[in-house]
Amino acid sequence: MPVGTGAGRDRVLERIERFDATYSRFRPDSLVSRIAAAPDGGRFAFPPDSLTLFGLYDRPLAATDGAVDPLVGRALELLGYDAMYSLTPAAEAVVAAERPAAWAADVVRDGPVIVTRRPLVIDVGAAGKGYLVDIVSALLREAGFTRFVVDASGDLRQTP
């Protein structure tokens, strides 16, 4: 049964919009884009539930000695996976001039607030999409749905 119309649907769509307005590196008005555009960095407050998403990165960051890092966004842009979907890698000279970002070195986090000293491109990737699937699933349960499928382009949640 599709969510259709009404308050339940509006609540789900509003929550997806808030998530996107925070974490999308493709929207110029998102919090993540403001961080990427801040020439000297700054202090940025994420919503309180960002602690869950940041927590999803804490474990792999530690387990991989920083190889799995939410600051992978700039590297993705240099490969052509940018806001325009150019799919054209940057010139080798541009890539060589970049100082790679690292969460442990370039971000100070105090709960849902992060402090940066330079522009950084956060990409929450699959963890973010999976977390959004969890959020939408919880909203559907709260709205009384007991059977549903949430499909976020391959990240799925299906109830029995």
PDB file of all heavy atoms in Angstrom, residues 103-121:
ATOM      1  N   TRP A 103      39.315  13.301   8.252  1.00  0.00           N
ATOM      2  CA  TRP A 103      38.412  13.643   9.347  1.00  0.00           C
ATOM      3  C   TRP A 103      39.183  13.843  10.650  1.00  0.00           C
ATOM      4  O   TRP A 103      38.984  14.824  11.363  1.00  0.00           O
ATOM      5  CB  TRP A 103      37.353  12.558   9.484  1.00  0.00           C
ATOM      6  CG  TRP A 103      36.232  12.877  10.410  1.00  0.00           C
ATOM      7  CD1 TRP A 103      36.129  12.528  11.719  1.00  0.00           C
ATOM      8  CD2 TRP A 103      35.034  13.603  10.103  1.00  0.00           C
ATOM      9  NE1 TRP A 103      34.944  12.972  12.249  1.00  0.00           N
ATOM     10  CE2 TRP A 103      34.245  13.639  11.274  1.00  0.00           C
ATOM     11  CE3 TRP A 103      34.545  14.206   8.945  1.00  0.00           C
ATOM     12  CZ2 TRP A 103      33.010  14.266  11.330  1.00  0.00           C
ATOM     13  CZ3 TRP A 103      33.302  14.826   9.001  1.00  0.00           C
ATOM     14  CH2 TRP A 103      32.564  14.849  10.184  1.00  0.00           C
ATOM     15  N   ALA A 104      40.088  12.920  10.952  1.00  0.00           N
ATOM     16  CA  ALA A 104      40.825  12.969  12.220  1.00  0.00           C
ATOM     17  C   ALA A 104      41.721  14.207  12.301  1.00  0.00           C
ATOM     18  O   ALA A 104      41.930  14.745  13.392  1.00  0.00           O
ATOM     19  CB  ALA A 104      41.648  11.699  12.403  1.00  0.00           C
ATOM     20  N   ALA A 105      42.231  14.685  11.174  1.00  0.00           N
ATOM     21  CA  ALA A 105      43.152  15.819  11.174  1.00  0.00           C
ATOM     22  C   ALA A 105      42.465  17.156  10.916  1.00  0.00           C
ATOM     23  O   ALA A 105      42.947  18.191  11.387  1.00  0.00           O
ATOM     24  CB  ALA A 105      44.238  15.599  10.120  1.00  0.00           C
ATOM     25  N   ASP A 106      41.369  17.143  10.177  1.00  0.00           N
ATOM     26  CA  ASP A 106      40.773  18.393   9.713  1.00  0.00           C
ATOM     27  C   ASP A 106      39.448  18.766  10.365  1.00  0.00           C
ATOM     28  O   ASP A 106      38.908  19.831  10.077  1.00  0.00           O
ATOM     29  CB  ASP A 106      40.576  18.336   8.191  1.00  0.00           C
ATOM     30  CG  ASP A 106      41.889  18.300   7.445  1.00  0.00           C
ATOM     31  OD1 ASP A 106      42.733  19.176   7.717  1.00  0.00           O
ATOM     32  OD2 ASP A 106      42.079  17.403   6.606  1.00  0.00           O
ATOM     33  N   VAL A 107      38.922  17.899  11.208  1.00  0.00           N
ATOM     34  CA  VAL A 107      37.625  18.160  11.840  1.00  0.00           C
ATOM     35  C   VAL A 107      37.743  17.954  13.341  1.00  0.00           C
ATOM     36  O   VAL A 107      38.322  16.983  13.804  1.00  0.00           O
ATOM     37  CB  VAL A 107      36.536  17.203  11.276  1.00  0.00           C
ATOM     38  CG1 VAL A 107      35.236  17.325  12.058  1.00  0.00           C
ATOM     39  CG2 VAL A 107      36.295  17.471   9.805  1.00  0.00           C
ATOM     40  N   VAL A 108      37.209  18.921  14.073  1.00  0.00           N
ATOM     41  CA  VAL A 108      37.040  18.756  15.514  1.00  0.00           C
ATOM     42  C   VAL A 108      35.540  18.652  15.726  1.00  0.00           C
ATOM     43  O   VAL A 108      34.779  19.516  15.280  1.00  0.00           O
ATOM     44  CB  VAL A 108      37.626  19.952  16.307  1.00  0.00           C
ATOM     45  CG1 VAL A 108      37.320  19.816  17.786  1.00  0.00           C
ATOM     46  CG2 VAL A 108      39.119  20.069  16.049  1.00  0.00           C
ATOM     47  N   ARG A 109      35.114  17.580  16.364  1.00  0.00           N
ATOM     48  CA  ARG A 109      33.674  17.370  16.571  1.00  0.00           C
ATOM     49  C   ARG A 109      33.360  17.434  18.043  1.00  0.00           C
ATOM     50  O   ARG A 109      34.019  16.812  18.875  1.00  0.00           O
ATOM     51  CB  ARG A 109      33.243  16.025  15.998  1.00  0.00           C
ATOM     52  CG  ARG A 109      31.747  15.787  16.118  1.00  0.00           C
ATOM     53  CD  ARG A 109      31.260  14.669  15.239  1.00  0.00           C
ATOM     54  NE  ARG A 109      31.823  13.380  15.517  1.00  0.00           N
ATOM     55  CZ  ARG A 109      31.260  12.479  16.316  1.00  0.00           C
ATOM     56  NH1 ARG A 109      30.129  12.728  16.928  1.00  0.00           N
ATOM     57  NH2 ARG A 109      31.832  11.308  16.502  1.00  0.00           N
ATOM     58  N   ASP A 110      32.340  18.212  18.354  1.00  0.00           N
ATOM     59  CA  ASP A 110      31.805  18.309  19.710  1.00  0.00           C
ATOM     60  C   ASP A 110      30.323  18.004  19.613  1.00  0.00           C
ATOM     61  O   ASP A 110      29.524  18.894  19.313  1.00  0.00           O
ATOM     62  CB  ASP A 110      32.063  19.697  20.285  1.00  0.00           C
ATOM     63  CG  ASP A 110      31.546  19.843  21.714  1.00  0.00           C
ATOM     64  OD1 ASP A 110      31.276  18.810  22.369  1.00  0.00           O
ATOM     65  OD2 ASP A 110      31.403  20.989  22.174  1.00  0.00           O
ATOM     66  N   GLY A 111      29.977  16.740  19.793  1.00  0.00           N
ATOM     67  CA  GLY A 111      28.580  16.343  19.619  1.00  0.00           C
ATOM     68  C   GLY A 111      28.170  16.574  18.177  1.00  0.00           C
ATOM     69  O   GLY A 111      28.856  16.154  17.254  1.00  0.00           O
ATOM     70  N   PRO A 112      27.068  17.301  17.954  1.00  0.00           N
ATOM     71  CA  PRO A 112      26.605  17.530  16.593  1.00  0.00           C
ATOM     72  C   PRO A 112      27.257  18.751  15.916  1.00  0.00           C
ATOM     73  O   PRO A 112      26.875  19.134  14.823  1.00  0.00           O
ATOM     74  CB  PRO A 112      25.107  17.747  16.765  1.00  0.00           C
ATOM     75  CG  PRO A 112      24.995  18.371  18.114  1.00  0.00           C
ATOM     76  CD  PRO A 112      26.090  17.724  18.950  1.00  0.00           C
ATOM     77  N   VAL A 113      28.244  19.356  16.567  1.00  0.00           N
ATOM     78  CA  VAL A 113      28.918  20.531  16.020  1.00  0.00           C
ATOM     79  C   VAL A 113      30.298  20.110  15.521  1.00  0.00           C
ATOM     80  O   VAL A 113      31.026  19.395  16.202  1.00  0.00           O
ATOM     81  CB  VAL A 113      29.064  21.641  17.083  1.00  0.00           C
ATOM     82  CG1 VAL A 113      29.885  22.805  16.560  1.00  0.00           C
ATOM     83  CG2 VAL A 113      27.690  22.116  17.544  1.00  0.00           C
ATOM     84  N   ILE A 114      30.631  20.555  14.310  1.00  0.00           N
ATOM     85  CA  ILE A 114      31.981  20.329  13.821  1.00  0.00           C
ATOM     86  C   ILE A 114      32.655  21.673  13.571  1.00  0.00           C
ATOM     87  O   ILE A 114      32.004  22.656  13.227  1.00  0.00           O
ATOM     88  CB  ILE A 114      32.042  19.435  12.561  1.00  0.00           C
ATOM     89  CG1 ILE A 114      31.458  20.126  11.341  1.00  0.00           C
ATOM     90  CG2 ILE A 114      31.380  18.094  12.799  1.00  0.00           C
ATOM     91  CD1 ILE A 114      31.769  19.408  10.036  1.00  0.00           C
ATOM     92  N   VAL A 115      33.959  21.688  13.771  1.00  0.00           N
ATOM     93  CA  VAL A 115      34.770  22.864  13.516  1.00  0.00           C
ATOM     94  C   VAL A 115      35.812  22.470  12.477  1.00  0.00           C
ATOM     95  O   VAL A 115      36.467  21.430  12.604  1.00  0.00           O
ATOM     96  CB  VAL A 115      35.454  23.358  14.808  1.00  0.00           C
ATOM     97  CG1 VAL A 115      36.338  24.568  14.522  1.00  0.00           C
ATOM     98  CG2 VAL A 115      34.415  23.693  15.869  1.00  0.00           C
ATOM     99  N   THR A 116      35.933  23.310  11.458  1.00  0.00           N
ATOM    100  CA  THR A 116      36.886  23.067  10.384  1.00  0.00           C
ATOM    101  C   THR A 116      37.774  24.299  10.221  1.00  0.00           C
ATOM    102  O   THR A 116      37.398  25.395  10.627  1.00  0.00           O
ATOM    103  CB  THR A 116      36.172  22.774   9.057  1.00  0.00           C
ATOM    104  OG1 THR A 116      35.449  23.942   8.657  1.00  0.00           O
ATOM    105  CG2 THR A 116      35.204  21.606   9.186  1.00  0.00           C
ATOM    106  N   ARG A 117      38.928  24.116   9.603  1.00  0.00           N
ATOM    107  CA  ARG A 117      39.839  25.233   9.368  1.00  0.00           C
ATOM    108  C   ARG A 117      39.992  25.554   7.882  1.00  0.00           C
ATOM    109  O   ARG A 117      40.712  26.462   7.516  1.00  0.00           O
ATOM    110  CB  ARG A 117      41.214  24.920   9.963  1.00  0.00           C
ATOM    111  CG  ARG A 117      41.213  24.972  11.480  1.00  0.00           C
ATOM    112  CD  ARG A 117      42.610  24.682  12.011  1.00  0.00           C
ATOM    113  NE  ARG A 117      42.579  23.628  13.012  1.00  0.00           N
ATOM    114  CZ  ARG A 117      42.620  22.324  12.799  1.00  0.00           C
ATOM    115  NH1 ARG A 117      42.725  21.853  11.610  1.00  0.00           N
ATOM    116  NH2 ARG A 117      42.580  21.448  13.775  1.00  0.00           N
ATOM    117  N   ARG A 118      39.322  24.770   7.050  1.00  0.00           N
ATOM    118  CA  ARG A 118      39.404  24.973   5.603  1.00  0.00           C
ATOM    119  C   ARG A 118      38.164  24.357   4.973  1.00  0.00           C
ATOM    120  O   ARG A 118      37.415  23.628   5.622  1.00  0.00           O
ATOM    121  CB  ARG A 118      40.681  24.357   5.041  1.00  0.00           C
ATOM    122  CG  ARG A 118      40.746  22.835   5.139  1.00  0.00           C
ATOM    123  CD  ARG A 118      42.070  22.333   4.599  1.00  0.00           C
ATOM    124  NE  ARG A 118      42.205  20.889   4.674  1.00  0.00           N
ATOM    125  CZ  ARG A 118      42.522  20.137   3.646  1.00  0.00           C
ATOM    126  NH1 ARG A 118      42.715  20.652   2.461  1.00  0.00           N
ATOM    127  NH2 ARG A 118      42.651  18.819   3.805  1.00  0.00           N
ATOM    128  N   PRO A 119      37.946  24.623   3.695  1.00  0.00           N
ATOM    129  CA  PRO A 119      36.803  23.994   3.028  1.00  0.00           C
ATOM    130  C   PRO A 119      36.989  22.482   2.982  1.00  0.00           C
ATOM    131  O   PRO A 119      38.079  22.001   2.662  1.00  0.00           O
ATOM    132  CB  PRO A 119      36.827  24.573   1.611  1.00  0.00           C
ATOM    133  CG  PRO A 119      37.849  25.638   1.591  1.00  0.00           C
ATOM    134  CD  PRO A 119      38.709  25.487   2.805  1.00  0.00           C
ATOM    135  N   LEU A 120      35.945  21.766   3.320  1.00  0.00           N
ATOM    136  CA  LEU A 120      35.976  20.303   3.310  1.00  0.00           C
ATOM    137  C   LEU A 120      34.700  19.790   2.673  1.00  0.00           C
ATOM    138  O   LEU A 120      33.622  20.350   2.892  1.00  0.00           O
ATOM    139  CB  LEU A 120      36.088  19.764   4.738  1.00  0.00           C
ATOM    140  CG  LEU A 120      37.333  20.169   5.519  1.00  0.00           C
ATOM    141  CD1 LEU A 120      37.193  19.759   6.980  1.00  0.00           C
ATOM    142  CD2 LEU A 120      38.581  19.571   4.906  1.00  0.00           C
ATOM    143  N   VAL A 121      34.815  18.720   1.905  1.00  0.00           N
ATOM    144  CA  VAL A 121      33.646  18.158   1.237  1.00  0.00           C
ATOM    145  C   VAL A 121      33.280  16.843   1.919  1.00  0.00           C
ATOM    146  O   VAL A 121      33.948  15.832   1.756  1.00  0.00           O
ATOM    147  CB  VAL A 121      33.895  17.938  -0.269  1.00  0.00           C
ATOM    148  CG1 VAL A 121      32.614  17.430  -0.939  1.00  0.00           C
ATOM    149  CG2 VAL A 121      34.358  19.231  -0.926  1.00  0.00           C
TER     150      VAL A 121
END
